[in-house]
Short mmCIF file of all heavy atoms in Angstrom, two decimals:
data_model
loop_
_atom_site.label_atom_id
_atom_site.label_comp_id
_atom_site.label_asym_id
_atom_site.label_seq_id
_atom_site.Cartn_x
_atom_site.Cartn_y
_atom_site.Cartn_z
N CYS A 192 2.89 52.61 161.05
CA CYS A 192 1.93 53.71 160.87
C CYS A 192 0.55 53.43 161.51
O CYS A 192 -0.20 54.39 161.73
CB CYS A 192 1.75 54.02 159.39
SG CYS A 192 3.18 54.79 158.60
N GLU A 193 0.27 52.19 161.85
CA GLU A 193 -1.05 51.90 162.41
C GLU A 193 -1.28 52.59 163.72
O GLU A 193 -2.41 52.94 164.08
CB GLU A 193 -1.26 50.40 162.56
CG GLU A 193 -2.69 50.06 162.96
CD GLU A 193 -2.91 48.55 163.21
OE1 GLU A 193 -2.02 47.76 162.90
OE2 GLU A 193 -3.99 48.21 163.73
N VAL A 194 -0.20 52.84 164.45
CA VAL A 194 -0.34 53.49 165.75
C VAL A 194 -0.99 54.88 165.62
O VAL A 194 -1.64 55.36 166.58
CB VAL A 194 1.03 53.63 166.45
CG1 VAL A 194 1.91 54.66 165.79
CG2 VAL A 194 0.87 53.94 167.94
N ILE A 195 -0.88 55.50 164.49
CA ILE A 195 -1.45 56.86 164.31
C ILE A 195 -2.95 56.86 164.54
O ILE A 195 -3.50 57.69 165.26
CB ILE A 195 -1.12 57.41 162.92
CG1 ILE A 195 0.38 57.55 162.72
CG2 ILE A 195 -1.79 58.74 162.69
CD1 ILE A 195 0.79 57.92 161.31
N VAL A 196 -3.63 55.91 163.92
CA VAL A 196 -5.10 55.90 163.98
C VAL A 196 -5.59 55.59 165.37
O VAL A 196 -6.58 56.15 165.87
CB VAL A 196 -5.70 54.96 162.91
CG1 VAL A 196 -5.44 53.50 163.24
CG2 VAL A 196 -7.18 55.21 162.74
N HIS A 197 -4.92 54.68 166.09
CA HIS A 197 -5.35 54.32 167.46
C HIS A 197 -4.98 55.44 168.42
O HIS A 197 -5.72 55.73 169.35
CB HIS A 197 -4.70 53.02 167.88
CG HIS A 197 -5.01 51.88 166.99
ND1 HIS A 197 -6.29 51.48 166.67
CD2 HIS A 197 -4.19 51.04 166.26
CE1 HIS A 197 -6.26 50.44 165.85
NE2 HIS A 197 -4.98 50.15 165.59
N LEU A 198 -3.86 56.07 168.23
CA LEU A 198 -3.47 57.21 169.07
C LEU A 198 -4.43 58.39 168.88
O LEU A 198 -4.79 59.05 169.85
CB LEU A 198 -2.03 57.60 168.77
CG LEU A 198 -1.35 58.57 169.75
CD1 LEU A 198 -1.27 57.97 171.13
CD2 LEU A 198 0.05 58.91 169.22
N TYR A 199 -4.82 58.60 167.66
CA TYR A 199 -5.80 59.67 167.36
C TYR A 199 -7.12 59.43 168.09
O TYR A 199 -7.74 60.35 168.60
CB TYR A 199 -6.03 59.79 165.89
CG TYR A 199 -7.04 60.86 165.50
CD1 TYR A 199 -6.72 62.20 165.47
CD2 TYR A 199 -8.34 60.47 165.16
CE1 TYR A 199 -7.65 63.16 165.16
CE2 TYR A 199 -9.29 61.43 164.81
CZ TYR A 199 -8.94 62.78 164.80
OH TYR A 199 -9.87 63.71 164.46
N ARG A 200 -7.52 58.18 168.17
CA ARG A 200 -8.76 57.83 168.88
C ARG A 200 -8.67 58.25 170.33
O ARG A 200 -9.66 58.71 170.93
CB ARG A 200 -9.01 56.33 168.78
CG ARG A 200 -10.14 55.81 169.66
CD ARG A 200 -11.48 56.30 169.22
NE ARG A 200 -11.96 55.58 168.06
CZ ARG A 200 -13.00 55.95 167.33
NH1 ARG A 200 -13.58 57.12 167.58
NH2 ARG A 200 -13.39 55.22 166.30
N GLU A 201 -7.48 58.16 170.93
CA GLU A 201 -7.32 58.49 172.37
C GLU A 201 -6.99 59.94 172.64
O GLU A 201 -7.46 60.49 173.60
CB GLU A 201 -6.23 57.59 172.97
CG GLU A 201 -6.61 56.10 173.00
CD GLU A 201 -5.65 55.30 173.83
OE1 GLU A 201 -4.74 55.88 174.46
OE2 GLU A 201 -5.80 54.04 173.86
N VAL A 202 -6.17 60.56 171.80
CA VAL A 202 -5.69 61.91 172.14
C VAL A 202 -6.13 62.99 171.14
O VAL A 202 -5.85 64.17 171.33
CB VAL A 202 -4.12 61.94 172.25
CG1 VAL A 202 -3.67 60.92 173.24
CG2 VAL A 202 -3.47 61.70 170.89
N GLY A 203 -6.74 62.59 170.02
CA GLY A 203 -7.21 63.55 169.07
C GLY A 203 -6.10 64.33 168.38
O GLY A 203 -5.12 63.74 167.95
N GLU A 204 -6.26 65.63 168.32
CA GLU A 204 -5.34 66.44 167.55
C GLU A 204 -3.93 66.55 168.12
O GLU A 204 -3.05 67.04 167.48
CB GLU A 204 -5.94 67.85 167.40
CG GLU A 204 -7.21 67.89 166.59
CD GLU A 204 -7.92 69.25 166.55
OE1 GLU A 204 -7.46 70.14 167.33
OE2 GLU A 204 -8.85 69.43 165.77
N LYS A 205 -3.73 66.01 169.32
CA LYS A 205 -2.38 66.00 169.93
C LYS A 205 -1.50 64.95 169.25
O LYS A 205 -0.29 64.93 169.48
CB LYS A 205 -2.47 65.68 171.41
CG LYS A 205 -3.20 66.75 172.21
CD LYS A 205 -3.29 66.37 173.70
CE LYS A 205 -4.05 67.38 174.53
NZ LYS A 205 -4.14 66.96 175.94
N VAL A 206 -2.07 64.11 168.40
CA VAL A 206 -1.35 62.97 167.83
C VAL A 206 -0.11 63.42 167.06
O VAL A 206 0.95 62.83 167.16
CB VAL A 206 -2.26 62.10 166.95
CG1 VAL A 206 -2.83 62.91 165.79
CG2 VAL A 206 -1.53 60.90 166.44
N ALA A 207 -0.22 64.49 166.27
CA ALA A 207 0.88 64.90 165.38
C ALA A 207 2.13 65.23 166.17
O ALA A 207 3.24 64.84 165.80
CB ALA A 207 0.46 66.07 164.51
N ALA A 208 1.98 65.93 167.29
CA ALA A 208 3.14 66.34 168.10
C ALA A 208 3.81 65.16 168.77
O ALA A 208 4.99 65.25 169.17
CB ALA A 208 2.71 67.37 169.14
N MET A 209 3.09 64.05 168.92
CA MET A 209 3.63 62.88 169.60
C MET A 209 4.43 61.96 168.68
O MET A 209 5.13 61.07 169.16
CB MET A 209 2.51 62.09 170.27
CG MET A 209 1.75 62.88 171.32
SD MET A 209 0.27 61.99 171.95
CE MET A 209 1.07 60.65 172.85
N LEU A 210 4.32 62.18 167.38
CA LEU A 210 4.98 61.31 166.43
C LEU A 210 6.42 61.71 166.19
O LEU A 210 6.72 62.86 165.96
CB LEU A 210 4.22 61.29 165.10
CG LEU A 210 2.75 60.89 165.17
CD1 LEU A 210 2.12 61.01 163.79
CD2 LEU A 210 2.60 59.45 165.67
N ASP A 211 7.30 60.71 166.22
CA ASP A 211 8.72 60.95 165.85
C ASP A 211 8.93 60.24 164.53
O ASP A 211 9.08 59.04 164.46
CB ASP A 211 9.62 60.33 166.92
CG ASP A 211 11.08 60.51 166.63
OD1 ASP A 211 11.43 61.25 165.66
OD2 ASP A 211 11.93 59.92 167.33
N GLY A 212 8.93 61.07 163.46
CA GLY A 212 9.09 60.44 162.13
C GLY A 212 8.82 61.46 161.04
O GLY A 212 8.73 62.66 161.26
N ASP A 213 8.73 60.92 159.85
CA ASP A 213 8.46 61.72 158.63
C ASP A 213 7.11 61.23 158.09
O ASP A 213 6.97 60.06 157.80
CB ASP A 213 9.57 61.53 157.62
CG ASP A 213 10.94 61.72 158.19
OD1 ASP A 213 11.09 62.70 158.99
OD2 ASP A 213 11.85 60.95 157.90
N PHE A 214 6.15 62.16 157.89
CA PHE A 214 4.85 61.70 157.54
C PHE A 214 3.98 62.75 156.93
O PHE A 214 4.23 63.97 157.10
CB PHE A 214 4.13 61.19 158.80
CG PHE A 214 4.07 62.19 159.93
CD1 PHE A 214 3.10 63.16 159.98
CD2 PHE A 214 5.00 62.12 160.96
CE1 PHE A 214 3.07 64.13 161.00
CE2 PHE A 214 4.97 63.09 161.98
CZ PHE A 214 4.01 64.08 162.03
N ALA A 215 2.98 62.33 156.19
CA ALA A 215 1.84 63.14 155.73
C ALA A 215 0.67 62.21 155.77
O ALA A 215 0.73 61.11 155.19
CB ALA A 215 2.09 63.67 154.32
N PHE A 216 -0.38 62.60 156.46
CA PHE A 216 -1.50 61.66 156.61
C PHE A 216 -2.85 62.38 156.71
O PHE A 216 -2.92 63.59 156.99
CB PHE A 216 -1.30 60.73 157.80
CG PHE A 216 -1.42 61.38 159.14
CD1 PHE A 216 -2.67 61.62 159.74
CD2 PHE A 216 -0.27 61.74 159.88
CE1 PHE A 216 -2.75 62.19 161.00
CE2 PHE A 216 -0.38 62.32 161.12
CZ PHE A 216 -1.61 62.54 161.69
N VAL A 217 -3.90 61.59 156.50
CA VAL A 217 -5.28 62.05 156.66
C VAL A 217 -6.06 60.98 157.38
O VAL A 217 -5.90 59.79 157.12
CB VAL A 217 -5.96 62.36 155.33
CG1 VAL A 217 -7.46 62.47 155.47
CG2 VAL A 217 -5.40 63.64 154.70
#
Side-chain angles (χ1 to χ4, degrees):
C192 290
E193 188 183 350
V194 72
I195 298 173
V196 70
H197 302 305
L198 192 61
Y199 178 78
R200 171 67 79 193
E201 294 190 5
V202 304
E204 295 174 350
K205 296 178 182 178
V206 61
M209 298 174 68
L210 301 177
D211 180 8
D213 309 318
F214 54 83
F216 69 82
V217 164

